[in-house]
Amino acid sequence: MPAQPRSGLWKALRVAILLVVLALVANTAWLEQRRVHAWAYTLGVGIFPVAGDTSPVTRDYVAALDRSAFAPIDEFFARQARAYGLKLIGPVQVTVYPAVAALPPAPPARGGVLSAVLWSLHLRYYAARRAVVPRGASPAIRIFVVYHDPALTPRVPHSAGLDKGLIGVAHLFALPSMSGSNNIVVAHELMHTLGATDKYDPATDAPLFPDGYGDPSQTPRYPQTSAEIMAGRTALSPSTQEMPESLEACRIGRASAAEISWLPR
Ligand SMILES: [Zn+2]
């Protein structure tokens, strides 16, 4: 049966091509991380708004977005860099780019290494095609901010970032009163793209002690007065926590600072 060996050969060839692509992507990602972790210059962060639905509320919100909506992110990273004695005064600088018409690929519903790898390639391809930069150099980090009308989507999908991949997707509410918590989600995903890991219990959302606490050495320990950015919530007691209102009440903890090379590991 001639079809059999040929299809086997074709399958092997496809696997070989995929492995070569993955090796190239992994090598590029490693070089990128080495470059950005040197913190020798301000990292450009491109914000690419996307309307997550066809609601006029979302459309008007996206149309009105400008740099001022995201300025607290620059200020948060500058404040935290100062606290860690980083020489760079402004580690990141946000620029808002024109809205993107197509939605980013949804992360796989189920786990599994292969689907995660394929999604990461799909997201890279989407970013390469859709993150159009009208002029100047491309930003080092690209975050797609997908807005939803809360009347249509009371619970937004999970945000996701390529671990150390410099591309993130943040799902946000198209509401001016949510801009403080929206910026927390963007800063959290930005930290993921730089290699920081989550510091909360996914089953309960409780911040993990000590790395997920704003100030693990605070006495008394509860209630905490700030949230660690990779935990995203302020621990009020060992089993209760609340969302902070803005980045003013967030910190980059020592473990996250080490993951993004602000401290030696
Ligand atoms: Zn996370």
Side-chain angles (χ1 to χ4, degrees):
M1 301 270 273
Q4 208 62 24
R6 197 177 290 171
S7 76
L9 191 66
W10 176 229
K11 195 174 176 189
L13 189 64
R14 276 189 304 178
V15 171
I17 291 170
L18 184 62
L19 287 177
V20 169
V21 169
L22 285 177
L24 289 173
V25 167
N27 187 50
T28 308
W30 183 79
L31 289 171
E32 281 172 352
Q33 285 293 313
R34 242 175 74 123
R35 190 163 43 85
V36 299
H37 275 211
W39 295 105
Y41 57 89
T42 300
L43 296 181
V45 177
I47 298 282
F48 296 87
V50 187
D53 52 47
T54 54
S55 152
V57 170
T58 307
R59 186 193 56 216
D60 293 349
Y61 190 86
V62 167
L65 281 173
D66 62 12
R67 224 197 83 74
S68 67
F70 302 97
I73 296 173
D74 291 359
E75 290 154 16
F76 168 72
F77 278 92
R79 214 163 40 238
Q80 295 303 296
R82 225 169 21 246
Y84 283 101
L86 202 73
K87 289 206 180 77
L88 205 58
I89 292 170
V92 306
Q93 187 173 39
V94 166
T95 302
V96 181
Y97 288 100
V100 175
L103 286 168
R110 277 190 296 277
V113 176
L114 186 63
S115 48
V117 166
L118 289 176
W119 173 73
S120 75
L121 289 179
H122 198 174
L123 184 59
R124 282 179 185 280
Y125 179 68
Y126 167 86
R129 278 191 66 208
R130 300 291 182 170
V132 177
V133 177
R135 61 191 167 279
S138 283
I141 300 170
R142 288 164 290 178
I143 308 276
F144 296 90
V145 286
V146 186
Y147 287 94
H148 301 266
D149 179 349
L152 299 177
T153 314
R155 234 183 122 84
V156 293
H158 273 296
S159 295
L162 287 188
D163 177 28
K164 303 183 184 171
L166 306 183
I167 302 172
V169 178
H171 287 276
L172 309 173
F173 286 115
L175 261 188
S177 63
M178 296 293 285
S179 76
S181 57
N182 282 348
N183 279 336
I184 295 175
V185 176
V186 175
H188 177 103
E189 293 309 322
L190 176 45
M191 289 288 290
H192 272 314
T193 73
L194 293 168
T197 57
D198 282 326
K199 293 176 180 66
Y200 63 91
D201 180 343
T204 62
D205 290 338
L208 298 176
F209 183 81
D211 294 343
Y213 279 42
D215 181 5
S217 62
Q218 179 190 298
T219 40
R221 187 176 292 165
Y222 303 104
Q224 287 277 305
T225 55
S226 59
E228 204 283 332
I229 189 69
M230 298 315 290
R233 284 179 172 77
T234 312
L236 303 178
S237 77
S239 57
T240 53
Q241 55 277 335
E242 68 177 6
M243 289 279 296
E245 278 186 10
S246 72
L247 284 168
E248 293 272 333
C250 296
R251 307 276 175 275
I252 294 176
R254 294 185 68 81
S256 298
E259 286 169 335
I260 64 166
S261 298
W262 280 10
L263 286 177
R265 293 218 187 204

